[in-house]
């Protein structure tokens, strides 16, 4: 579910079920052409679909961080802490092109970088791997 689909009344009603906040991170540098930026957003959309579609009803997708900056890990850590203090039990950060590691963003419960996963599990294994990681997160 997208944050923009939520009303005040529905949030109060669904907050118990929507315990996981998903933060998309595009990792644009500002050097991309409009076509390249569009392609990056499409890759991110497709990567997010691996979580948003099968786990609909438990995941709330928040607005994306689009541009990379030197203190990105600090910004994502702070955001993760604030989202947890606002009521989310879990925070997941996903990026298709950005390279991030869990050790850099310790306040997030799960950090998934498609570019890293391609090297680790191959393009064909990403969907299954991401699903397993989300289910493991909820079992903790």
């Amino acid at each position: 579910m997208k944050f923009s689909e939520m009303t005040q009344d529905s949030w109060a009603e669904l907050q118990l079920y929507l315990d996981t906040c998903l933060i998309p991170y595009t990792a644009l540098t500002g050097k991309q052409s409009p076509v390249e930026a569009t392609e990056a957003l499409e890759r991110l959309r497709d990567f997010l679909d691996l979580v948003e579609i099968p786990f609909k009803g438990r995941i709330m997708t928040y607005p994306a961080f689009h541009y990379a900056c030197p203190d990105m890990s600090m910004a994502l850590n702070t955001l993760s802490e604030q989202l947890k203090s606002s009521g989310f039990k879990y925070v997941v950060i996903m990026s298709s092109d950005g390279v991030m590691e869990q050790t850099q963003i310790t306040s997030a419960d799960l950090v998934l970088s498609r570019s890293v996963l391609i090297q680790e599990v191959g393009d064909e294994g990403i969907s299954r791997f991401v699903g397993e990681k989300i289910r493991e997160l909820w079992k903790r």
Side-chain angles (χ1 to χ4, degrees):
M1 175 175 268
K2 305 272 192 240
F3 70 97
S4 58
E5 298 169 354
M6 191 62 57
T7 65
Q8 188 64 34
D9 292 336
S10 60
W11 175 240
E13 183 180 320
L14 296 174
Q15 188 173 9
L16 291 173
Y17 306 103
L18 294 168
D19 65 350
T20 305
C21 184
L22 178 60
I23 302 298
Y25 173 47
T26 314
L28 297 174
T29 62
K31 295 178 182 179
Q32 293 88 352
S33 70
V35 171
E36 292 168 326
T38 300
E39 291 170 350
L41 287 167
E42 289 170 349
R43 282 190 300 275
L44 180 58
R45 177 204 58 210
D46 294 345
F47 190 45
L48 295 172
D49 281 350
L50 300 179
V51 173
E52 290 177 323
I53 293 171
F55 301 112
K56 185 177 182 174
R58 189 156 178 193
I59 302 252
M60 171 70 65
T61 302
Y62 258 52
F65 263 83
H66 287 294
Y67 293 93
C69 67
D71 295 328
M72 185 52 65
S73 59
M74 186 175 10
L76 291 171
N77 267 313
T78 301
L79 178 61
S80 297
E81 291 168 7
Q82 291 170 336
L83 288 166
K84 286 181 178 184
S85 71
S86 75
F88 286 102
K89 186 172 181 181
Y90 306 103
V91 175
V92 177
I93 299 171
M94 292 180 71
S95 181
S96 182
D97 298 337
V99 176
M100 304 173 303
E101 294 182 25
Q102 187 73 51
T103 57
Q104 296 173 308
I105 309 167
T106 56
S107 297
D109 298 287
L110 185 59
V111 176
L112 298 167
S113 295
R114 182 182 166 276
S115 56
V116 172
L117 293 177
I118 286 175
Q119 295 174 359
E120 292 178 3
V121 299
D123 203 25
E124 303 80 27
I126 289 177
S127 180
R128 192 179 90 237
F129 182 85
V130 167
E132 288 172 0
K133 287 297 182 185
I134 294 291
R135 284 186 286 280
E136 286 174 16
L137 172 67
W138 290 335
K139 289 179 183 178
R140 288 189 218 162

